[in-house]
Amino acid sequence: MVSISFLNPLSPEGKDIVRELGSFEGISDDIPELRRLVTRNPSQEIVDDKEIPSNYLELALKRIEWYIKKKHDREFNSRRYSFLSDYSITKYDVISFYLLCQAIGVKFGPNSRETRVMVEAQGDLIQERMGKLSIQESRLMVDQSLAMLLHDDMVHWTFFQELLSTRKIRLTELVLDNGELILNEEDFLHRFGSRIKHRNPDSMYQLLIGDELKELIMVKMIMQETEDYIKQVHEKARVMVEPNPILLELADEVAEVLAEPMQHYGYGSGRSGGPMKAGPLNPLAFPPCVKKALEGIKSGGRNDAIVLFMTPFVSYARLYPDVFRMNITKRVSDQDPQLQITENEVLPLIYEAAQRCVPPLFDDQPQEKVNINAKLGFGMHSTLKMEHEGETTWYTPMSCEKIKLHLPHLCRPDDVCKKIGNPLSYYNRRIWEVMNLDKEDSDSEDNPSSNNVDNIQNSDIQNSDIENSANNENKNSDDSNSGEG
Ligand code: SF4
């Protein structure tokens, strides 16, 4: 029988498991029973013995690794993590959950990327585990969990204030009557049955609430509890003398697992094989529309050009140029965990373009800085803060078609434009060519043109520089066309 704590380690049953363990003593010792459970799982695929978690700490890291690989690795094989959905590991899993929350709370705090990943991983893991249960089992689990989480039969919508403010749930997803949440079928039929005409009230219940909404509320509430627990740990850790070194070590290992996508999945060998490399921006590879926008908008449409066009282009070109090929939604912090590149390279370039507008955009519309942050996914706030990330979506760059429609004055197509449908694809194609040319140039000792390719950090984008870049680009384009396969 599945225990509630397998879905919600913060339930009373989960807390009992932690109490039973007592202390950190022996926390990194091997647990033969855990290895046995993992290896005997019929759906488990084991490629290497090292993949089998041997203790609580390794199991904790596997939880995070599962989420990161599932999200970023296109060759992700779920069978290598089958043990995570096997309820026979419950008591080990619960301890590993607490270890993770404590490590992250102590070292990174509640407004960190690590906390976000932990909370999202917990949500995804619950859904994964629910998917392995029979309908009857999952209904029972959801009903039991909700009974614990909601405390009361009658729940006013204000109870979900925190979930609503963190956007884990939207008000429109809830079915309310006089401000009270309706989840139970009997309650639904009692309140709405006589008002539903020409429809079967039972089907209406299934359509509007059913298993899905209940499960969603349960998952989001457990995610919120996980976040709250990390916050509590963090508060306590601030007054503690010395955090347990095991937790600090685990926190470092979590950070390593989180850094992995940048080393492996989002960065690769270039155009011919793996994903496109993310690296410093190179103005030589910018498409004509971006160069035009960098010169400054003088003929209207300043807001759209800077906020809707430049912000997504510059941020994706710098942080996640392969977004369309990878087709995996990410947040800015997935690519730039400390937001340093965003603060030091992405925003300055966007602001520079805004400043060159006539009149300078922020002189009369300083609020557009907030809109820029919103398009980067950080909500409507004046500064970029991790705690706001996810309030809005990180906008992907506009297609050429849209630019031609909404910002026609920016589009001055050249030969490369005939082969692409988005300025970002132009950039990826050109940067590969520019980088190859640069390599050829630097290989040739006599060729002084190797200095042509400057990274944008070092280049002051004055109008003359853009003109020079454009001239260089024409030359490069001519040179490279012949070699294009
Ligand atoms: S065709 Fe596309 S990439 Fe080329 S200038 Fe126009 S909008 Fe930019």
Side-chain angles (χ1 to χ4, degrees):
M1 175 68 189
V2 188
S3 156
I4 285 281
S5 56
F6 194 47
L7 300 183
N8 185 5
L10 295 158
S11 62
E13 290 168 31
K15 286 176 184 160
D16 284 346
I17 293 174
V18 180
R19 223 167 284 134
E20 229 171 82
L21 181 79
S23 73
F24 278 98
E25 206 178 314
I27 205 83
S28 48
D29 291 354
D30 269 11
I31 308 170
E33 167 76 356
L34 175 59
R35 279 184 73 87
R36 196 182 62 74
L37 291 173
V38 173
T39 46
R40 70 149 205 206
N41 185 328
S43 12
Q44 183 64 41
E45 194 175 303
I46 301 168
V47 173
D48 188 328
D49 196 55
K50 285 189 207 127
E51 289 180 6
I52 308 168
S54 298
N55 57 41
Y56 296 116
L57 301 165
E58 287 178 14
L59 182 59
L61 288 172
K62 284 286 170 196
R63 280 170 138 263
I64 299 291
E65 187 187 288
W66 166 79
Y67 174 76
I68 291 292
K69 289 210 167 164
K70 181 170 74 75
K71 206 167 165 225
H72 298 279
D73 186 356
R74 291 208 292 184
E75 283 160 25
F76 171 70
N77 177 358
S78 60
R79 290 172 64 88
R80 285 162 81 166
Y81 296 87
S82 293
F83 60 89
L84 286 176
S85 297
D86 179 355
Y87 66 84
S88 61
I89 67 159
T90 299
K91 67 178 176 184
Y92 307 113
D93 179 71
V94 168
I95 302 291
S96 71
F97 167 90
Y98 277 87
L99 284 170
L100 277 175
C101 289
Q102 292 185 13
I104 290 170
V106 164
K107 176 101 189 224
F108 305 110
N111 299 322
S112 60
R113 177 176 175 237
E114 288 75 10
T115 294
R116 172 176 62 81
V117 169
M118 176 66 206
V119 171
E120 285 176 3
Q122 184 60 21
D124 280 15
L125 204 47
I126 298 169
Q127 281 169 324
E128 179 83 9
R129 290 170 176 179
M130 292 288 294
K132 300 279 186 313
L133 301 178
S134 69
I135 295 179
Q136 284 73 20
E137 269 178 322
S138 72
R139 276 189 186 147
L140 192 67
M141 295 297 285
V142 171
D143 286 342
Q144 283 181 0
S145 297
L146 285 176
M148 279 180 204
L149 292 162
L150 295 173
H151 309 299
D152 206 340
D153 279 352
M154 284 303 133
V155 180
H156 198 261
W157 73 269
T158 46
F159 180 81
F160 296 104
Q161 233 161 16
E162 213 174 1
L163 280 176
L164 292 164
S165 70
T166 52
R167 292 175 192 245
K168 289 190 180 71
I169 266 183
R170 291 174 203 282
L171 204 49
T172 48
E173 285 170 328
L174 304 176
V175 175
L176 303 171
D177 184 36
N178 291 325
E180 282 167 355
L181 177 74
I182 313 299
L183 281 182
N184 181 292
E185 183 166 6
E186 270 174 33
D187 194 17
F188 176 85
L189 296 177
H190 172 70
R191 291 181 190 237
F192 301 113
S194 58
R195 290 190 248 167
I196 298 171
K197 308 280 179 216
H198 316 299
R199 286 275 190 122
N200 180 342
D202 292 315
S203 327
M204 284 302 284
Y205 170 79
Q206 285 307 328
L207 190 72
L208 293 171
I209 301 172
D211 297 333
E212 226 170 276
L213 181 63
K214 285 187 184 177
E215 188 179 320
L216 175 84
I217 292 176
M218 177 194 78
V219 172
K220 301 294 178 179
M221 287 190 76
I222 298 173
M223 287 169 74
Q224 189 60 52
E225 286 205 342
T226 305
E227 197 173 320
D228 294 345
Y229 178 63
I230 293 175
K231 205 182 281 178
Q232 277 172 31
V233 170
H234 181 67
E235 294 301 322
K236 276 192 195 153
R238 284 165 60 176
V239 292
M240 257 163 53
V241 190
E242 194 69 51
N244 191 307
I246 287 178
L247 292 179
L248 295 176
E249 223 172 277
L250 178 61
D252 288 341
E253 283 174 305
V254 168
E256 266 175 45
V257 175
L258 261 59
E260 217 172 298
M262 268 168 277
Q263 287 154 13
H264 296 294
Y265 319 127
Y267 297 67
S269 54
R271 191 169 161 231
S272 57
M276 190 66 208
K277 277 187 177 186
L281 287 166
N282 190 329
L284 295 181
F286 286 165
C289 47
V290 172
K291 287 178 178 161
K292 188 105 183 74
L294 279 171
E295 287 170 12
I297 310 295
K298 299 169 181 82
S299 51
R302 290 176 305 158
N303 311 54
D304 285 356
I306 300 301
V307 177
L308 296 177
F309 169 62
M310 283 300 279
T311 301
F313 175 84
V314 174
S315 53
Y316 274 93
R318 176 62 186 91
L319 299 171
Y320 187 19
D322 225 10
V323 55
F324 296 125
R325 197 166 88 150
M326 296 294 283
N327 200 19
I328 297 171
T329 307
K330 294 192 186 186
R331 294 183 180 188
V332 164
S333 68
D334 286 328
Q335 303 298 96
D336 180 17
Q338 308 304 324
L339 305 183
Q340 278 173 347
I341 303 172
T342 312
E343 299 271 14
N344 299 328
E345 297 177 43
V346 173
L347 283 179
L349 188 60
I350 300 166
Y351 285 10
E352 184 107 30
Q355 194 56 29
R356 288 224 176 87
C357 292
V358 180
L361 183 62
F362 302 141
D363 282 6
D364 57 329
Q365 299 190 44
Q367 78 283 0
E368 288 296 27
K369 286 190 179 176
V370 170
N371 285 330
I372 288 170
N373 291 346
K375 296 296 172 278
L376 291 170
F378 290 85
M380 299 294 286
H381 301 279
S382 54
T383 49
L384 297 183
K385 282 200 180 141
M386 286 298 302
E387 63 201 86
H388 297 308
E389 197 180 25
E391 288 182 15
T392 46
T393 309
W394 183 14
Y395 264 46
T396 46
M398 270 188 194
S399 64
C400 295
E401 207 180 319
K402 272 197 182 156
I403 294 165
K404 284 174 184 160
L405 198 65
H406 301 295
L407 297 161
H409 53 290
L410 289 182
C411 182
R412 297 283 178 270
D414 63 11
D415 281 353
V416 181
C417 290
K418 288 180 196 151
K419 301 167 193 161
I420 50 91
N422 190 294
L424 190 63
S425 316
Y426 183 113
Y427 181 72
N428 286 336
R429 182 177 273 264
R430 287 289 294 125
I431 199 144
W432 185 80
E433 294 167 353
V434 170
M435 272 159 42
N436 273 1
L437 269 178
D438 187 33
K439 192 170 171 294
E440 280 169 24
D441 287 347
S442 58
D443 285 348
S444 159
E445 283 178 11
D446 302 332
N447 193 343
S449 65
S450 59
N451 290 331
N452 283 352
V453 183
D454 291 332
N455 91 37
I456 202 145
Q457 284 167 296
N458 303 324
S459 64
D460 180 14
I461 306 197
Q462 300 300 322
N463 287 345
S464 58
D465 291 325
I466 292 169
E467 280 158 22
N468 287 340
S469 298
N471 291 337
N472 288 335
E473 191 221 356
N474 289 337
K475 173 193 167 293
N476 292 341
S477 178
D478 292 344
D479 289 350
S480 57
N481 277 347
S482 58
E484 178 123 355

